[in-house]
Amino acid sequence: MDYFYGPGRNHLFVPGPVNIPEPVIRAMNRNNEDYRSPAVPAMTKTLLEDVKKIFKTTTGTPFMIPTTGTGAWESALTNTLSPGDRIVSFLIGQFSLLWIDQQQRLNFNVDVVESEWGQGANLDVLASKLAADWAHTIKAVCIVHNETATGVTNNLVAVRKLLDDYGHPALFLVDGVSSICALDFRMDEWGIDVALTGSQKALSMPTGMGIVCASPKAMEASKMAKSVRVFFDWKDYLKFYNMGTFWPYTPSIQLLYGLRAALDLIFEEGLENVIARHRRLGKATRLAVEAWGLKNCTQKEEWYSDTVTAVVVPPYIDSSEIVRRGWQRYNLSLGLGLNKVAGKVFRIGHLGNLNELQLLGCLSGVEMILKDVGYPVKLGSGVAAAAAYLQNNIPLIASRI
């Protein structure tokens, strides 16, 4: 029973946590097990191999940590860097801000490159810093691939090109929390040294598992890093990997079975098909926003996100009221505007195990909410624009052909 009951299903369209598919829920509906029995290590071994596929790496070392994305951030930083190390980090929204705050509190020397919220990372500034850093004092470049607060996706290929062009050895650390398993992400090809994601985003699981993947270069750096770490120490994991038991502490048995089911669903659909589906959902949402006469918070098409759209409302409307009305009247959950864009935008999440008809239901709900709060939307306008695009672009379901 819901704490505040509403008939039917809650329409969950925040950009994480997301809808959990029924096969994952059923897989997790099980008793505890002894994680030292032969069964759990055997399953863990296959999971570690399979999570490498979603990062698109054959050389990376994965760690499945019972934590959130915030813990995965800390794991990435403390295992590869030492206090006082200089980091270049991009501030483009709330989640990049929080990661920078963590970097500073961990006593790294953070060189913040700030952009207006709604813009991507300023790579011209990065180029200038790399060019001037002949002594290689910059030890890492940290970037959020997909800034969930503003719906901005950064160009990781361009970051890697700059590092290569200047022959700079800095580690390349990427927050892929709301991108991995939904947007194109190629850890090996793009030379990413540490990438991380969270179970509650595109994997469509409950919160509670942070997955980190480290390149051979990052693994070498971890041998010299002097940051204090205990719970997140990769060395502890590697010790138990070598023993064949895999876990330095008790994992969530239920989340492991949930991850197995989630990965099976992704592989059955095909990872490239999953990415293409998110591309369709993102495009359809943006067409709806345009039909409503509203603006995308993301200022350039090159930065558009296919997992979340932040919609700017007119000054006479408080976007928080849109989110409140959606939950109170329509059992629809939308994302709030955060920090600098609080009250100015609402966010439509379109990631995870989600199909086109579910999205159209969300868009119809948003139209009714906009009408409720006094915005002169034509009912059906956004839904029609999205549906016209989707009807021409949805492929047949592969397993049903």
Side-chain angles (χ1 to χ4, degrees), residues 21-266:
E22 291 296 331
V24 174
I25 292 174
R26 289 194 296 270
M28 293 187 299
N29 185 20
R30 60 191 311 115
N31 211 327
N32 282 326
E33 295 181 24
D34 177 10
Y35 73 96
R36 295 186 177 92
S37 73
V40 174
M43 178 171 60
T44 301
K45 183 178 180 180
T46 64
L47 287 173
L48 288 169
E49 286 302 314
D50 281 349
V51 296
K52 290 166 68 173
K53 298 173 185 176
I54 65 174
F55 288 88
K56 293 188 180 175
T57 179
T58 58
T59 61
T61 300
F63 302 94
M64 301 182 300
I65 306 171
T67 187
T68 63
T70 305
W73 281 347
E74 186 168 333
S75 173
L77 295 167
T78 57
N79 279 281
T80 57
L81 299 165
S82 300
D85 278 353
R86 183 184 175 194
I87 301 172
V88 174
S89 201
F90 298 93
L91 200 173
I92 63 168
Q94 179 65 11
F95 295 96
S96 51
L97 173 67
L98 291 173
W99 198 15
I100 287 168
D101 176 63
Q102 184 187 79
Q103 293 160 14
Q104 292 169 333
R105 290 162 70 181
L106 289 168
N107 295 317
F108 301 118
N109 176 14
V110 187
D111 196 341
V112 179
V113 179
E114 186 168 2
S115 298
E116 182 182 343
W117 288 32
Q119 295 181 0
N122 190 330
L123 299 187
D124 290 336
V125 174
L126 175 62
S128 298
K129 291 181 182 296
L130 294 175
D133 187 32
W134 56 267
H136 295 163
T137 62
I138 298 171
K139 301 304 180 184
V141 174
C142 299
I143 191 167
V144 173
H145 186 197
N146 190 76
E147 174 53 73
T148 321
T150 56
V152 167
T153 301
N154 281 308
N155 187 338
L156 301 183
V157 176
V159 177
R160 168 43 63 192
K161 187 175 186 303
L162 285 175
L163 287 166
D164 291 346
D165 287 349
Y166 289 100
H168 203 290
L171 292 167
F172 187 14
L173 276 55
V174 178
D175 168 346
V177 170
S178 61
S179 65
I180 292 171
C181 264
L183 307 182
D184 191 18
F185 192 93
R186 310 179 193 184
M187 182 171 174
D188 284 357
E189 184 178 333
W190 297 345
I192 295 167
D193 291 303
V194 186
L196 59 97
T197 191
S199 55
Q200 78 280 13
K201 299 286 187 171
L203 281 167
S204 299
M205 293 170 54
T207 308
M209 184 182 291
I211 305 176
V212 180
C213 201
S215 72
K217 179 179 173 181
M219 295 303 297
E220 283 300 310
S222 72
K223 297 175 182 178
M224 304 299 294
K226 294 180 173 58
S227 293
V228 174
R229 64 257 191 196
V230 179
F231 185 78
F232 297 117
D233 198 335
W234 295 348
K235 288 199 297 289
D236 291 349
Y237 274 85
L238 294 174
K239 174 184 174 182
F240 285 87
Y241 286 3
N242 291 331
M243 292 170 58
T245 53
F246 295 101
W247 291 101
Y249 33 64
T250 310
S252 166
I253 299 299
Q254 290 75 18
L255 281 180
L256 291 180
Y257 279 98
L259 178 60
R260 180 67 273 162
L263 290 172
D264 288 345
L265 289 175
I266 289 167

Side-chain angles (χ1 to χ4, degrees), residues 217-376:
K217 179 179 173 181
M219 295 303 297
E220 283 300 310
S222 72
K223 297 175 182 178
M224 304 299 294
K226 294 180 173 58
S227 293
V228 174
R229 64 257 191 196
V230 179
F231 185 78
F232 297 117
D233 198 335
W234 295 348
K235 288 199 297 289
D236 291 349
Y237 274 85
L238 294 174
K239 174 184 174 182
F240 285 87
Y241 286 3
N242 291 331
M243 292 170 58
T245 53
F246 295 101
W247 291 101
Y249 33 64
T250 310
S252 166
I253 299 299
Q254 290 75 18
L255 281 180
L256 291 180
Y257 279 98
L259 178 60
R260 180 67 273 162
L263 290 172
D264 288 345
L265 289 175
I266 289 167
F267 298 152
E268 181 176 355
E269 183 178 358
L271 183 55
E272 297 310 312
N273 293 331
V274 172
I275 293 168
R277 172 167 53 81
H278 283 86
R279 196 175 297 123
R280 289 193 301 274
L281 297 174
K283 176 69 171 178
T285 304
R286 292 189 292 272
L287 287 170
V289 172
E290 183 180 343
W292 297 331
L294 295 174
K295 291 183 178 180
N296 195 319
C297 180
T298 310
Q299 295 180 17
K300 289 184 180 180
E301 185 175 351
E302 66 188 85
W303 296 319
Y304 284 165
S305 169
D306 287 330
T307 60
V308 56
T309 300
V311 184
V312 180
V313 299
Y316 62 87
I317 293 175
D318 180 352
S319 66
S320 300
E321 180 56 30
I322 291 173
V323 175
R324 187 180 304 111
R325 179 58 66 100
W327 186 78
Q328 288 180 332
R329 190 175 190 193
Y330 301 105
N331 206 2
L332 171 61
S333 295
L334 300 167
L336 287 163
L338 302 173
N339 201 322
K340 286 187 177 182
V341 293
K344 300 175 183 179
V345 310
F346 67 93
R347 295 174 297 147
I348 302 173
H350 33 84
L351 77 159
N353 192 279
L354 180 73
N355 65 34
E356 292 83 357
L357 294 187
Q358 288 174 282
L359 177 66
L360 291 173
C362 167
L363 298 176
S364 67
V366 172
E367 290 183 355
M368 291 188 287
I369 298 165
L370 290 172
K371 200 82 169 176
D372 286 352
V373 299
Y375 181 73

